[in-house]
Amino acid sequence: MSISEQTLTRRGVMGGMAAAGAAAALATGAPAVAAAAAPAPAAFLPADPLLHLLRRATFGPGPSSIAEIRRLGAKAWLDRQLDPSSIADPVADGVLARLPLARLGIDEIRARVAAGTLKQYGWEPMWQLGYAALTRALWSERQLLEVMTDLWSNHLNVTCPSGDVWDSRTDYDTMIRKHALGKFSDLLKASARHPAMLTYLDNRYSTRAAPNENYGRELLELHTVGQGHTEADVKNAARLFTGLTVDRATGRYRYDAAEHATGAIRVLDFQHANTTATGGEAAALALLDHLALHPLTARRIVTRLCVRFVADEPPASLITTLVKVYLDNRSAIAPVLRALFGSAEFAASIGAKTRTPYEDLAATVRILGYGPATSGTKFLESLYGMARDAGQAPLAWGPPNGYPDVAAAWASPSGLLVRWNFHLSIAAGWWPETLVRPASLLTGTVGALPATYGALIEKTAVRLCGIAPTAKQIAALAEFYGKTPASPLKANDPAAGWMYPYLMGMLLNSPSFALR
Amino acid sequence: MTTSVCGCEDNRQAVLSRRRLLAAGAGVAAGVAGATVDTGLAFAADPAYAGDVLVLISLRGGFDGLSAVVPAGDPAYYAARPAIGVPKAQLIGGDAFFGLNPGLAPLLPYWTGGKLAAVHAVGQPAPNRSHFSAMEELERAAPGTSLRTGWLNRMLGTVGSGDPFQAVAMGTAMPARVLGGPAPYVGVTAIDRMVLTGDQADRPIAATMTRLFEDAPTSLRGTAGQLTGGLRQVAKLRAQAYTPANGAVYPGSDLGNALRDVARLIKTNSGLLSATVDSGDWDMHENLGVAAPGKRMYDQLKAFATALAAFAADLGPDHLRRVTVITISEFGRRVAQNGSGGLDHGYGNAMFVLGGNVKGGKVYGRWPGLTEAQLRDGDLAVTTDYRAVIGEILRSRCGVADLNGVFPGVTAAGLGIVTAR
């Protein structure tokens, strides 16, 4: 079956429900629901490959990014995105300057506590980090970096905010950004020794006498090889990681040889004599290097990338191709992304992804082209609250597996209600009311006043969804105003004035915007 | 009108296939399993389900069962808590050995009336003092397996109807961990807040949306249909201003509001099988206080008891007959108070069970004792797996014949805490 056919079947939906990112090939034998002759999802989206790339590699197309990719073409656009430091980012930087705590390192947070300017155990840096993540998703020009930072933040999840990582979570984000487009082996080793991860998965409390298995288990099950390891592997990994801890006095990473459990260990096909306590850290890093380049890890990582960028159930052929690219490049991610976005499978996957609540929120603001408020952070708190109410505040997922990335996990009527409500509220400028938007929404969205209701609906849809609605949809939307598509539109009609945001909202609710 | 969203043979089969999926150990975090057939009507009782509505109250933060259900007959309790032990003279209800904290006074009629029971020294199979990971394990409830679904979702996979309104996470639209998995459920922040902004007679947004989704991909159409159908149903509920019965007065707290909405759904026979509700702020590392108004633990218990008592009163005996309420928490607290007059994270705990068929007025479970040798690293030991308690209720009251599909490898406790249906 093609991807688009698969998504129409219950099997496609259910199969995608394996723990996010895990390639659980399930032969469920579930019966396909007799799909009422619904068109394939691809029919709801524009076929333009540039828009397809924008919908997948960014948090959503916006007027300026559409213009940019048309100017550069796909390859040059992607090259630029893979070199984020070459991209000026004035709009996001301007907002981030209002969130100074979001960038603080562990030492800086503790120094401020010592100086009395920050509360010990306070959550303010973590809240600001959440707002900063949202700011970048909505307004950063370095979109691929943001998407990848989000992906790794979920793959190596450390809940933000959460009390135990009050002094280390912002620094953890800095670490992820540094490696987001680099090598997975570097990212994995940095995360293993980061106080936030050591705290979140309890390895800091793991001792020679009483190894804590939490990190060892998730390292194998979530961060690297996935299924296919044994309890003995978990226990051995946990023993090898004893001694990797956090200095209570400074909050920094520390290797405590006195707490390292020596003795030969075996984890999957990795073996280490682990004879000395002083050599424990090096042995642990050797295991991480081994795991990062393990074929099963390669499969998990590229599957996660494919689930994010291609389809809830990625084509096996693409996974096979990308596993080889990953291993040939010793876990470097940029070559994998180039191969992914250049693949035939990617090109054929239009409509195979559905926006998650957070992607929906970001895509809404981006396609509207509304700018951040000129001062303050209240508007960020409002937008963050919308993401939270829809179930997906950035970085806030509790369990270690990160937010799910498949449509089935988010297909919740109550979540959808929150989304339909924020579409209208944001578009109309009711809440948040301080985003910078055109003086006239109609002029800003479609330019000159269209002659008919049908033309108004079609132009607005093309502007917001990239594609004209079906005749049936246009008729339904005209009827909302008590009109037909052929009804002439007059400048003083409510539909061209105070009731225009309702059209924007309903189009943002439509299947063409729900799909990515 | 009682057409189910998924009231079709396809869906019955799909429920079966979901069970197979669970058996295969697939897991996902939240939400409604996509493709459903849209009939636009969301509320429908599953005629096949004749069990109790299971109401799960999660006491978040680590509930101190020893302050709530006080082992007054164990001198080690008072020795360990010189400043915050609840004196015998203040205890209410209980029995020869245990007594209830006076903050629980609003629930006393249900205790003495035999509808409220406690189980003590319950907990997870292994100590876990991390809030996050203990909560995770509590709701996954399948240690030693790779299951990532929540136990309540697995229960729905066993006896559920496939209708999203079969289970409601009340008070939140966040994915509920315990309900995570392929069986559909709904998160509702509040019935009165389930409103589509701007939708009114002369601005029919919901009706227009139904038409926009008519030819949409099945999964999108299903969810949109559940929402528009659900909005219609909830609007009907809202149309009649809700007055709690029997003079019940809910406190204006999150817990009170959520339980009030659960009662509304139960009383309208909406097809509800299970509801989850959260009660937060039990993490009292400092200044837990004596059992008196204005003190932290007492006030919290009072607020909890007031809300739960209002819920029970509102349901009245007729509805309470098919409802069982369970409280759970990620862990209990350390037996000995700490230097800040509070309690650090512990292990064994108490849980409450309330319902029309509970054999109440007593404390179940085997008491392990509180002397140093009897403790588990300074904490109350666990003599009954919490899953065995829930399992007993699932078997006796909810028609779950085979517990393995919900709690792998767990045997029902056999406490006799409820009357079998």
Side-chain angles (χ1 to χ4, degrees):
Chain A
M1 276 196 296
S2 75
I3 295 164
S4 50
E5 279 171 341
Q6 278 183 12
T7 56
L8 284 175
T9 67
R10 180 172 294 275
R11 185 175 187 164
V13 171
M14 305 300 272
M17 297 197 62
L26 288 165
T28 62
V33 164
F44 290 86
L45 292 172
D48 183 339
L50 296 178
L51 291 177
H52 176 50
L53 180 57
L54 278 185
R55 280 195 309 272
R56 298 299 177 83
T58 77
F59 276 101
S64 62
S65 67
I66 294 170
E68 182 190 62
I69 203 166
R70 294 222 191 286
R71 199 173 61 243
L72 295 174
K75 189 184 174 305
W77 181 88
L78 189 59
D79 287 343
R80 189 165 176 267
Q81 286 293 320
L82 286 168
D83 183 15
S85 57
S86 71
I87 305 173
D89 209 9
V91 177
D93 287 347
V95 179
L96 294 172
R98 306 172 207 169
L99 301 165
L101 305 180
R103 297 186 282 277
L104 294 184
I106 296 167
D107 292 358
E108 292 166 304
I109 288 185
R110 291 186 165 237
R112 291 186 189 213
V113 168
T117 55
L118 209 58
K119 209 175 135 223
Q120 190 173 26
Y121 309 125
W123 285 28
E124 199 50 36
M126 293 188 287
W127 288 123
Q128 287 200 6
L129 178 61
Y131 305 150
L134 184 98
T135 297
R136 291 176 166 122
L138 270 55
W139 292 294
S140 174
E141 299 289 331
R142 302 163 186 156
Q143 280 288 302
L144 185 55
L145 171 66
E146 288 319 308
V147 171
M148 288 304 297
T149 298
D150 184 67
L151 181 139
W152 295 128
S153 299
N154 281 297
H155 185 74
L156 299 165
N157 191 48
V158 173
T159 308
C160 174
S162 61
D164 295 345
V165 294
W166 66 277
D167 62 339
S168 58
R169 187 58 184 83
T170 48
D171 189 74
Y172 187 74
D173 186 70
T174 304
M175 181 278 294
I176 286 188
R177 297 182 163 279
K178 182 177 156 194
H179 297 292
L181 296 170
K183 281 193 161 167
F184 179 67
S185 57
D186 293 338
L187 175 63
L188 186 67
K189 284 181 290 190
S191 73
R193 287 176 297 169
H194 198 284
M197 180 60 82
L198 288 162
T199 301
Y200 175 72
L201 291 181
D202 300 321
N203 205 75
R204 66 183 295 178
Y205 308 114
S206 189
T207 60
R208 202 155 43 90
N212 183 310
E213 293 173 10
N214 205 4
Y215 178 72
R217 180 178 305 279
E218 302 304 2
L219 170 71
L220 295 171
E221 191 165 320
L222 295 175
H223 301 173
T224 60
V225 295
Q227 307 297 321
H229 59 272
T230 64
E231 283 300 301
D233 291 329
V234 170
K235 285 190 163 58
N236 274 308
R239 280 185 53 235
L240 192 60
F241 281 98
T242 51
L244 276 69
T245 187
V246 178
D247 187 302
R248 290 188 57 145
T250 63
R252 292 185 200 164
Y253 166 72
R254 181 167 73 91
Y255 177 68
D256 181 359
E259 284 300 350
H260 180 73
T262 53
I265 67 115
R266 184 191 176 95
V267 178
L268 299 157
D269 50 345
F270 174 87
Q271 292 182 69
H272 202 289
N274 186 30
T275 43
T276 67
T278 48
E281 185 185 28
L285 292 174
L287 171 61
L288 292 170
D289 270 325
H290 177 87
L291 290 174
L293 297 175
H294 197 288
L296 289 172
T297 302
R299 179 161 293 274
R300 268 184 63 72
I301 298 295
V302 305
T303 301
R304 183 159 209 132
L305 293 169
C306 288
V307 167
R308 179 71 175 231
F309 294 118
V310 184
D312 288 3
E313 282 195 286
S317 57
L318 180 59
I319 289 173
T320 304
T321 305
L322 297 181
V323 163
K324 187 173 183 316
V325 176
Y326 176 98
L327 292 172
D328 287 350
N329 290 278
R330 302 194 59 80
S331 83
I333 294 302
V336 179
L337 291 174
R338 282 184 211 279
L340 186 157
F341 290 122
S343 70
E345 292 92 337
F346 173 74
S349 71
I350 288 178
K353 286 296 294 178
T354 300
R355 284 184 168 131
T356 68
Y358 182 47
E359 287 166 349
D360 184 352
L361 179 75
T364 297
V365 175
R366 288 179 60 76
I367 196 65
L368 289 167
Y370 293 178
T374 50
S375 65
T377 57
K378 269 271 176 273
F379 70 105
L380 294 173
E381 290 171 34
S382 307
L383 292 165
Y384 183 95
M386 288 168 165
R388 188 196 53 224
D389 290 349
Q392 204 182 9
L395 312 177
W397 181 253
N401 56 344
Y403 280 115
D405 202 12
V406 293
W410 296 106
S412 134
S414 41
L416 189 61
L417 174 66
V418 174
R419 293 160 72 163
W420 286 4
N421 285 345
F422 72 55
H423 289 151
L424 176 58
S425 178
I426 291 170
W430 295 338
W431 184 259
E433 73 283 33
T434 52
L435 297 183
V436 174
R437 53 186 192 280
S440 157
L441 289 184
L442 185 136
T443 309
T445 308
V446 297
L449 185 75
T452 63
Y453 275 76
L456 173 77
I457 291 161
E458 195 169 324
K459 279 195 152 103
T460 306
V462 169
R463 169 65 184 76
L464 296 179
C465 305
I467 189 168
T470 62
K472 201 162 147 186
Q473 290 176 321
I474 293 174
L477 289 162
E479 202 175 305
F480 172 85
Y481 292 105
K483 305 283 182 182
T484 68
S487 304
L489 178 69
K490 298 188 288 298
N492 58 354
D493 281 1
W498 69 273
M499 276 182 78
Y500 182 64
Y502 288 91
L503 174 61
M504 300 168 81
M506 287 188 290
L507 287 166
L508 294 170
N509 297 349
S510 72
S512 295
F513 194 76
L515 295 169
R516 173 164 86 83
Chain B
M1 301 266 290
T2 53
T3 327
S4 162
V5 149
C6 328
C8 59
E9 199 45 44
D10 270 347
N11 192 66
R12 290 272 173 260
Q13 289 184 350
V15 171
L16 287 175
S17 73
R18 277 203 283 273
R19 273 178 229 167
R20 275 204 296 278
L21 230 128
L22 287 174
V28 78
V32 172
T36 51
V37 178
D38 175 20
T39 64
L41 263 181
F43 286 24
D46 180 23
Y49 184 74
D52 279 8
V53 179
L54 186 70
V55 180
L56 180 73
I57 303 180
S58 296
L59 306 170
R60 306 275 181 193
F63 179 71
D64 182 38
L66 294 170
S67 286
V69 183
V70 177
D74 198 325
Y77 163 80
Y78 290 104
R81 299 186 172 190
I84 56 171
V86 187
K88 274 185 195 159
Q90 278 192 271
L91 298 172
I92 58 173
D95 58 24
F97 185 83
F98 293 102
L100 302 182
N101 189 299
L104 295 168
L107 287 168
L108 189 58
Y110 296 97
W111 183 270
T112 51
K115 302 296 176 208
L116 172 67
V119 193
H120 226 316
V122 294
Q124 303 196 47
N128 181 339
R129 294 175 183 81
S130 146
H131 283 297
F132 144 74
S133 96
M135 225 178 283
E136 168 78 0
E137 284 299 295
L138 183 80
E139 307 199 344
R140 199 173 68 94
T145 73
S146 287
L147 279 176
R148 291 208 175 260
T149 47
W151 68 260
L152 201 49
N153 198 280
R154 298 196 292 271
M155 173 215 167
L156 295 172
T158 306
V159 295
S161 64
D163 180 320
F165 279 82
Q166 65 185 335
V168 173
M170 192 60 83
T172 177
M174 284 290 281
R177 187 68 194 83
V178 73
L179 279 163
Y185 75 92
V186 183
V188 176
T189 41
I191 287 175
D192 287 333
R193 294 228 306 274
M194 199 166 169
V195 177
L196 183 59
T197 305
D199 189 43
Q200 53 192 65
D202 63 343
R203 277 174 248 160
I205 298 174
T208 307
M209 293 322 304
T210 300
R211 292 179 62 189
L212 288 196
F213 276 85
E214 258 165 29
D215 300 321
T218 318
S219 57
L220 293 179
R221 189 160 52 92
T223 311
Q226 286 158 15
L227 172 53
T228 50
L231 286 167
R232 274 200 299 277
Q233 294 295 330
V234 165
K236 279 184 213 161
L237 274 181
R238 262 202 314 273
Q240 305 133 20
Y242 183 69
T243 312
N246 310 314
V249 180
Y250 286 93
S253 60
D254 288 351
L255 180 63
N257 292 336
L259 286 172
R260 181 173 175 270
D261 275 349
V262 172
R264 269 168 107 170
L265 291 176
I266 290 171
K267 288 157 81 175
T268 48
N269 296 318
S270 62
L272 188 73
L273 273 72
S274 183
T276 63
V277 174
D278 277 4
S279 156
D281 208 20
W282 293 99
D283 192 25
M284 302 187 196
H285 286 276
E286 67 285 312
N287 301 324
L288 182 137
V290 297
K295 300 299 179 187
R296 207 167 157 197
M297 176 59 84
Y298 176 91
D299 285 355
Q300 274 270 110
L301 288 170
K302 186 90 184 252
F304 160 77
T306 306
L308 187 55
F311 177 69
D314 183 9
L315 289 178
D318 281 356
H319 289 293
L320 201 56
R321 239 193 297 281
R322 50 181 201 94
V323 173
T324 302
V325 183
I326 303 173
T327 68
I328 57 171
S329 188
E330 66 261 40
F331 46 62
R333 315 295 295 199
R334 188 66 35 91
V335 173
Q337 65 180 76
N338 62 23
S340 325
L343 297 163
D344 293 318
H345 300 181
Y347 184 31
N349 206 348
M351 63 195 284
F352 289 109
V353 183
L354 169 80
N357 289 281
V358 172
K359 295 186 213 163
K362 62 183 278 196
V363 180
Y364 291 83
R366 185 176 69 75
W367 185 246
L370 294 178
T371 62
E372 196 55 44
Q374 295 163 322
L375 298 180
R376 180 94 186 244
D377 297 330
D379 299 334
L380 176 63
V382 166
T383 57
T384 309
D385 188 324
Y386 77 106
R387 296 171 302 164
V389 180
I390 299 171
E392 181 175 341
I393 289 157
L394 293 184
R395 230 178 44 182
S396 300
R397 302 296 317 162
C398 303
V400 177
D402 178 18
L403 271 189
N404 248 316
V406 183
F407 300 124
V410 173
T411 312
L415 300 168
I417 196 167
V418 286
T419 311
R421 294 188 73 91

